[in-house]
Amino acid sequence: MPNAVVCLPTYNERENLEAMLRALEPLDVRVLVVDDSSPDGTGELADRLAGELGFVSVLHRPHKEGLGPAYLAAFRRALADGAEYILEMDCDFSHDPADVPRLIAACVQGADLALGSRYVPGGGTENWGIGRRFVSIGGSWYARVLLGVSIRDLTGGFKCYRRVVLERIDLDAVHSKGYAFQIETTYRTLRKGFRVVEIPITFTDREAGHSKMSRSIVLEAIWRVPFLGVQTLTGRLR
Ligand SMILES: Nc1nc2c(ncn2[C@@H]2O[C@H](COP(=O)(O)OP(=O)(O)OP(=O)(O)O)[C@@H](O)[C@H]2O)c(=O)[nH]1
Ligand SMILES: [Mg+2]
């Protein structure tokens, strides 16, 4: 079985964490929970479950800083631990744990980055209102056009990287916090000439816990996309 680590960022996911770890258990992956001192006790729950489940470890961070910094810390830990395949996944069941082996398989078969994609044939979203669909589809369209790439789902957060990708892209230069983090990491991967493939997934709206989506996350993506484009044009994006 491939040497894979699923990075699982959590902020107030007490209602989802245990079920998610139980769903990942049969998949023969390691899981790194990255908790930003959730006030609801998710971090303590993660520690207890890690004591019981050998495939789970926990990275505690002192403050909520957004998804980007949480993932960067997890990537560094997973690389240091020797992971060959490093995944991103939400802990709210929007991403189906049963799709994890398909993403890893795509990388084993030659992709450098496999993206769980809602916007290729066979993919889709379930239980999303018109507003969320508009933000998501509009966001991917905006980034695709401004950055001149052909990827259909640039804002999704269900991904599998081969380790070489995370070794080669300049993680220290990534400052995005929210959706922009997903756009930026995929864009930097493409700029380095790596092979990115989209794997169709069905994305289901969360049933437990609360979304951390906010206006500032959307606004950040709106300005960061052209900023990345300007950095590229001026040769500052390496
Ligand atoms: N460690 C950490 N995890 C976070 C942070 N913000 C969100 N998360 C986690 O990242 C995952 C995705 O966040 P969500 O709140 O579901 O955001 P979203 O999926 O973009 O929005 P929805 O579709 O509305 O749920 C979840 O597992 C969250 O608990 C953060 O600042 N730090
Ligand atoms: Mg979510």
Side-chain angles (χ1 to χ4, degrees):
M1 189 59 197
N3 170 3
V5 172
V6 177
C7 302
L8 202 62
T10 56
Y11 193 77
N12 289 348
E13 298 291 0
R14 197 182 47 183
E15 293 156 82
N16 288 311
L17 181 63
E18 179 159 5
M20 178 55 75
L21 295 178
R22 302 271 174 210
L24 290 167
E25 191 171 9
L27 302 182
D28 217 0
V29 291
R30 283 181 287 155
V31 178
L32 176 57
V33 178
V34 200
D35 186 72
D36 282 2
S37 302
S38 297
D40 76 346
T42 303
E44 293 75 16
L45 175 61
D47 283 338
R48 185 168 65 68
L49 291 166
E52 188 187 321
L53 305 167
F55 67 99
V56 177
S57 47
V58 189
L59 184 58
H60 294 280
R61 290 161 41 81
H63 306 291
K64 177 168 169 35
E65 289 181 289
L67 212 61
Y71 269 130
L72 291 175
F75 292 167
R76 290 189 172 102
R77 170 71 68 86
L79 287 171
D81 289 349
E84 200 52 51
Y85 302 97
I86 298 159
L87 291 96
E88 294 183 16
M89 182 178 178
D90 291 354
C91 189
D92 59 1
F93 287 94
S94 287
H95 301 148
D96 184 349
D99 289 332
V100 163
R102 294 169 58 226
L103 292 186
I104 298 173
C107 286
V108 171
Q109 286 159 22
D112 296 309
L113 168 58
L115 302 176
S117 178
R118 295 159 288 189
Y119 306 126
V120 291
T125 52
E126 257 173 31
N127 315 335
W128 253 13
I130 188 85
R132 285 305 300 270
R133 292 167 78 101
F134 178 78
V135 169
S136 175
I137 294 172
S140 274
W141 176 83
Y142 176 77
R144 188 167 74 242
V145 171
L146 260 69
L147 297 174
V149 300
S150 59
I151 300 298
R152 308 301 300 184
D153 191 344
L154 278 162
T155 58
F158 196 14
K159 304 181 171 185
C160 179
Y161 299 89
R162 281 180 54 221
R163 70 173 285 128
V164 63
V165 174
L166 298 178
E167 287 170 338
R168 289 273 310 282
I169 62 179
D170 184 1
L171 296 179
D172 291 331
V174 177
H175 300 297
S176 303
K177 305 266 186 272
Y179 286 131
F181 178 79
Q182 305 302 358
I183 300 168
E184 176 165 359
T185 47
T186 295
Y187 181 60
R188 286 180 181 272
T189 302
L190 289 164
R191 293 291 307 172
K192 288 281 184 199
F194 286 115
R195 184 160 171 253
V196 180
V197 301
E198 291 188 89
I199 305 297
I201 58 153
T202 300
F203 178 103
T204 314
D205 198 13
R206 65 157 75 233
E207 283 179 7
H210 299 285
S211 171
K212 282 102 220 169
M213 229 274 268
S214 66
R215 186 190 301 257
S216 72
I217 285 176
V218 175
L219 290 175
E220 184 206 21
I222 290 174
W223 72 262
R224 275 215 191 261
V225 168
F227 183 73
L228 286 171
V230 169
Q231 281 188 308
T232 306
L233 289 174
T234 55
R236 277 178 293 150
L237 191 133
R238 283 167 285 112

